[in-house]
Amino acid sequence: MINMSLATAIHHARHASAPPDHAGHIRQIETVHDLFAGRYEAVTTVEETFTDAVLGIGVAEGVDGEIIHVDGITWRIPANGVPERAGADLGMPFAVAAYGGTPITRDIPSGATMTEITTVVDGVLAEENLHHDYLVAAVRVTGDFSHVLLRSEHGQTPPYQPLGSPGSVTGEVRFDLAPWAGTLAGFRFPDVADDIVIPGLHLHAIARDHDSGGHCHELTVHQAHVQVWIDDVEVDVPGLPAAA
């Protein structure tokens, strides 16, 4: 579980291998502060982060595309919006992955938006006597949608330009798709702007036919269900000295 002081949640050493409690675990690599500050150099790879993950999201080195990992495959969605399989050695400056655990499945009402999906996820947490203020939940939404608004990024080269505050994105390209079918994966983070996690529900998308994807700005459900994994979280900040 994540304490919202977050001081105790930051793990200061990069692991050479998975810790003993890796099953049923969420791992975030780097802080959102460093990402939005323009630190786009790779600190991990697809292989290092997503091997054995049930799902994951990230951004490619140089912010050259959005990353989604589902069904054992990692995809990079560049600025043209057409997904490409990501190689094992593709570098990432930021990523979040979920490992193990048992998902809880719920249907999503037709017409639901990101707000309603967040409510469904929070309802699952409430049923487990948990609260989103103190943990991170992994989320997978699968189905048919009457509309999605997706985005990706134009890659940068050094010197990198900061993205600014969350939501103010340099080089953003948007894709307004209707209808759309596929999978969205990501995480329900605490609603706290702490410069460590991204507040709220953050989802990346890959179409059923793999011809579109990206970060999801908006959606409207036609028929879909959500799976929720409730786990503890570890924030790994590469390059810092190991905790005593």
Side-chain angles (χ1 to χ4, degrees):
M1 301 246 295
I2 186 167
N3 184 306
M4 289 320 300
S5 71
L6 289 171
T8 58
I10 300 176
H11 189 82
H12 293 289
R14 189 174 185 182
H15 295 290
S17 58
D21 65 345
H22 213 52
H25 189 66
I26 293 171
R27 182 186 180 206
Q28 175 176 308
I29 300 175
E30 265 299 356
T31 66
V32 70
H33 173 271
D34 285 349
L35 179 65
F36 281 94
R39 297 174 187 171
Y40 309 144
E41 301 86 359
V43 295
T44 188
T45 67
V46 163
E47 183 176 35
E48 290 170 345
T49 302
F50 296 133
T51 298
D52 299 326
V54 294
L55 63 84
I57 60 174
V59 61
E61 185 169 24
V63 292
D64 190 15
E66 304 281 358
I67 302 292
I68 178 172
H69 177 86
V70 288
D71 299 325
I73 300 172
T74 306
W75 299 89
R76 181 181 75 91
I77 300 92
N80 65 5
V82 180
E84 302 173 354
R85 287 204 184 200
D89 60 350
L90 178 68
M92 299 181 292
F94 178 87
V96 193
Y99 308 86
T102 302
I104 299 169
T105 302
R106 295 287 183 270
D107 290 330
I108 302 172
S110 178
T113 65
M114 291 279 280
T115 299
E116 284 76 35
I117 291 176
T118 303
T119 299
V120 172
V121 172
D122 290 351
V124 171
L125 303 184
E127 292 168 11
E128 300 296 315
N129 294 315
L130 298 170
H131 196 275
H132 67 267
D133 280 353
Y134 301 104
L135 54 82
V136 176
V139 177
R140 173 174 172 149
V141 181
T142 306
D144 299 293
F145 303 82
S146 55
H147 165 258
V148 293
L149 179 60
L150 309 179
R151 76 142 194 254
S152 189
E153 307 265 353
H154 285 291
Q156 294 190 28
T157 56
Y160 295 128
Q161 300 299 308
L163 297 182
S165 59
S168 177
V169 180
T170 302
E172 180 181 75
V173 182
R174 294 191 175 197
F175 312 101
D176 200 338
L177 306 171
W180 186 87
T183 297
L184 302 103
F187 298 87
R188 199 298 188 227
F189 296 97
D191 294 325
V192 177
D194 53 26
D195 283 341
I196 295 178
V197 298
I198 303 170
L201 181 63
H202 190 94
L203 299 175
H204 289 189
I206 183 75
R208 187 175 296 156
D209 57 8
H210 304 147
D211 69 349
S212 61
H215 166 87
C216 184
H217 270 305
E218 301 172 5
L219 61 79
T220 305
V221 170
H222 174 63
Q223 185 176 15
H225 66 272
V226 62
Q227 294 174 286
V228 182
W229 291 258
I230 305 169
D231 297 304
D232 62 338
V233 65
E234 166 195 358
V235 180
D236 186 346
V237 184
L240 292 184

